[in-house]
Amino acid sequence: RKEVEQDPGPFNVPEGATVAFNCTYSNSASQSFFWYRQDCRKEPKLLMSVYSSGNEDGRFTAQLNRASQYISLLIRDSKLSDSATYLCVVNPNTGGFKTIFGAGTRLFVKA
Amino acid sequence: DARVTQTPRDKVTEMGQEVTMRCQPILGHNTVFWYRQTMMQGLELLAYFRNRAPLDDSGMPKDRFSAEMPDATLATLKIQPSEPRDSAVYFCASGYGSGNTIYFGEGSWLTVV
């Protein structure tokens, strides 16, 4: 089983739609969680951290469910510019500094 | 605007040749990562360092890959000899401490023919 798993998609949604991605992780001791965004032929960039109580940044909401070992990302009112690959990131924090990326979920927002 | 710098940006080389990729982490960052990305495998963690010491290189093929940090401003990833299956984008990333955001360079796009 991979340490971090995501549905690869692609998700094809119209502008204005709400879309949600989930990501599961295998190490129950994991402490830090993030969502990164990667545009085509670019490097991954931080979208937002994920906090235990859930957090929101504009149209983006991230949630953490420790009991079920998954994190989620909700995008409301999708824009064409949201088209990208969204990467789930977990830091197992097992004494090292390992940072593990999921394979990513591809999102296409169409007009 | 601080950023991670990687060289070369693009490299085409023949099978069997040595390839060296270099990375300058963001000043003050003490953790450096090397990732490889392909369409099939996504982002694979090859190796990472903390305070220049290698912590884990279990993701790296040991027979041909090596990673070092000769000083705090330079990390290197070497492939010798290179093979066509090594064709990928190699990203360097840096961060500070544990559990914090990491920042990526623009990647080194390697093609081995």
Side-chain angles (χ1 to χ4, degrees):
Chain A
R1 182 186 172 189
K2 288 187 176 180
E3 292 185 79
V4 180
E5 294 203 69
Q6 295 182 249
D7 180 347
F11 285 64
N12 293 287
V13 303
E15 268 187 301
T18 295
V19 62
F21 310 134
N22 283 340
C23 162
T24 58
Y25 59 93
S26 61
N27 187 336
S28 59
S30 298
Q31 295 295 320
S32 304
F33 309 89
F34 307 88
W35 283 101
Y36 275 64
R37 170 192 168 130
Q38 187 175 23
D39 294 299
C40 188
R41 298 185 65 82
K42 297 287 189 181
E43 73 273 23
K45 292 182 179 177
L46 177 69
L47 177 66
M48 61 195 302
S49 302
V50 185
Y51 302 123
S52 296
S53 55
N55 50 299
E56 193 172 297
D57 183 0
R59 298 181 293 107
F60 299 84
T61 301
Q63 297 278 355
L64 168 63
N65 184 317
R66 286 191 185 275
S68 301
Q69 293 179 215
Y70 77 83
I71 66 174
S72 64
L73 177 68
L74 182 79
I75 306 175
R76 291 181 299 278
D77 189 22
S78 300
K79 311 291 184 192
L80 293 176
S81 57
D82 294 333
S83 297
T85 297
Y86 291 84
L87 302 163
C88 169
V89 184
V90 174
N91 185 314
N93 220 20
T94 51
F97 295 79
K98 206 171 184 178
T99 303
I100 305 296
F101 282 73
T105 299
R106 197 87 187 270
L107 172 67
F108 292 101
V109 181
K110 54 186 187 297
Chain B
D1 189 22
R3 60 189 309 162
V4 176
T5 303
Q6 287 186 247
T7 57
R9 285 297 313 280
D10 288 281
K11 175 79 173 179
V12 180
T13 192
E14 291 185 346
M15 183 172 62
Q17 295 297 305
E18 178 179 300
V19 176
T20 299
M21 289 167 274
R22 293 177 174 81
C23 168
Q24 181 177 2
I26 292 172
L27 187 64
H29 282 187
N30 66 346
T31 313
V32 176
F33 303 82
W34 282 106
Y35 290 90
R36 175 173 64 183
Q37 188 174 40
T38 62
M39 290 293 292
M40 299 300 295
Q41 298 294 329
L43 264 170
E44 300 174 89
L45 179 60
L46 297 176
Y48 64 105
F49 297 77
R50 184 193 178 210
N51 295 331
R52 295 178 53 203
L55 288 190
D56 188 346
D57 62 0
S58 59
M60 210 162 62
K62 299 291 190 306
D63 56 338
R64 299 183 299 108
F65 284 59
S66 61
E68 295 179 347
M69 271 202 82
D71 64 59
T73 64
L74 177 64
T76 62
L77 179 67
K78 190 174 295 186
I79 308 174
Q80 168 62 23
S82 57
E83 297 181 2
R85 60 180 166 149
D86 300 329
S87 298
V89 186
Y90 291 81
F91 285 107
C92 176
S94 72
Y96 183 79
S98 170
N100 296 318
T101 306
I102 64 172
Y103 298 86
F104 282 78
E106 293 181 312
S108 291
W109 297 71
L110 175 65
T111 303
V112 183
V113 297

